[in-house]
């Protein structure tokens, strides 16, 4: 009887602990999986210029809201985040075709922000850890320059790069000390949108 009560109590405690655990953050796959085929995606905070040929009254500049949407003269709450400018232009043409005969639309972007899931993040023992907008052909060296290098407490050769591949998060060993303190350029690697670099503290 005592064993049964202890087992029941342990089961309740385990269940209680599990109920307090939040689910893992959603994994979002980038359209860019090849460093030679980078495609910029629109995100909250971007400024869009939507030009509808021969229809200046419905053309204009639009700020993408935090929910990833914009409202135009004829289309309300158009979801634009996570789309390329070209794909968005085709979608707007399809929507406008309900009101205009054969609309032709061009979308251009200024004030680049992009979705958070497309940014490259550096956390841990970097001089200025932060999220950085991805730029075509960005490398680990470029990223470390952007964050000001390593702190004196960093264990750069035990750093990790987290990358989403085929929908799964994978971890790779990277040797940042060898790259920026020893000048071993062979340790320089290409970055991709959504990469996370984790730099641990050294144990002395």
């Amino acid at each position: 009887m005592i064993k049964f009560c202890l087992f029941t109590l342990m089961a309740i405690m385990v269940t209680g602990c599990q109920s307090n655990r939040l689910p893992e953050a959603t994994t979002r796959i980038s359209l860019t999986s090849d460093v030679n085929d980078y495609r910029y995606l629109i995100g909250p905070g971007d400024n869009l210029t939507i030009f509808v040929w021969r229809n200046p009254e419905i053309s204009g500049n639009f700020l993408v809201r935090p929910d990833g949407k914009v409202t135009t003269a004829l289309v309300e709450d158009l979801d634009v985040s996570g789309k390329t400018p070209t794909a968005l232009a085709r979608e707007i043409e399809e929507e406008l075709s309900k009101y205009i005969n054969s609309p032709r639309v061009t979308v251009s972007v200024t004030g680049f922000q992009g979705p958070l899931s497309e940014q490259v993040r550096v956390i841990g023992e970097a001089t200025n850890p932060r999220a950085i907008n991805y730029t075509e052909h960005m490398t680990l060296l470029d990223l470390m320059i952007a964050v000001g290098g390593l702190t004196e407490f960093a264990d750069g050769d035990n750093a990790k790069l987290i990358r989403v591949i085929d929908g799964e998060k994978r971890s790779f060993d990277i040797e940042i000390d060898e790259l920026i303190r020893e000048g071993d350029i062979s340790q320089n690697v290409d970055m991709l949108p959504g990469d996370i670099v984790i730099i641990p503290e050294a144990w002395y």
Side-chain angles (χ1 to χ4, degrees):
M1 183 65 179
I2 295 176
K3 289 184 178 179
F4 176 77
C5 291
L6 287 173
F7 177 79
T8 303
L9 180 60
M10 290 176 65
I12 293 172
M13 290 175 64
V14 170
T15 302
C17 290
Q18 289 177 342
S19 64
N20 290 329
R21 184 179 179 86
L22 291 170
E24 183 181 350
T26 303
T27 299
R28 292 177 171 82
I29 304 174
S30 175
L31 287 183
T32 301
S33 58
D34 183 345
V35 295
N36 296 312
D37 185 27
Y38 171 52
R39 287 176 283 176
Y40 180 80
L41 303 183
I42 296 167
D46 282 353
N47 290 295
L48 304 183
T49 299
I50 300 176
F51 174 73
V52 185
W53 189 56
R54 290 185 175 176
N55 289 273
E57 69 280 2
I58 58 174
S59 300
N61 298 315
F62 305 89
L63 179 65
V64 182
R65 305 192 311 243
D67 62 358
K69 299 179 181 180
V70 297
T71 295
T72 66
L74 293 179
V75 184
E76 292 185 352
D77 292 337
L78 182 63
D79 195 354
V80 301
S81 185
K83 299 174 182 177
T84 65
T86 300
L88 177 59
R90 300 295 81 77
E91 184 175 324
I92 294 174
E93 287 174 349
E94 184 176 347
E95 289 292 326
L96 290 180
S97 65
K98 301 173 184 177
Y99 316 99
I100 301 171
N101 185 34
S102 300
R104 293 173 61 184
V105 176
T106 301
V107 175
S108 57
V109 184
T110 57
F112 299 96
Q113 296 293 325
L116 291 177
S117 59
E118 292 286 290
Q119 295 179 348
V120 180
R121 301 177 179 93
V122 182
I123 60 175
E125 294 300 319
T127 299
N128 183 24
R130 60 194 178 104
I132 296 172
N133 290 336
Y134 180 82
T135 303
E136 185 179 27
H137 300 149
M138 177 184 282
T139 67
L140 177 60
L141 183 58
D142 299 321
L143 184 64
M144 294 313 300
I145 291 172
V147 298
L150 300 172
T151 69
E152 60 179 310
F153 306 108
D155 185 3
D157 282 348
N158 280 314
K160 302 289 183 183
L161 188 154
I162 310 301
R163 176 174 291 172
V164 176
I165 299 177
D166 296 328
E168 298 290 333
K169 291 179 182 175
R170 293 182 58 187
S171 177
F172 299 90
D173 297 330
I174 50 176
E175 298 184 357
I176 302 177
D177 271 327
E178 288 293 315
L179 173 62
I180 65 176
R181 288 177 174 164
E182 302 300 327
D184 184 358
I185 203 66
S186 69
Q187 301 302 321
N188 196 22
V189 296
D190 289 314
M191 305 302 296
L192 284 175
D195 282 351
I196 301 172
V197 173
I198 303 172
I199 307 170
E201 183 178 354
W203 292 89
Y204 293 101

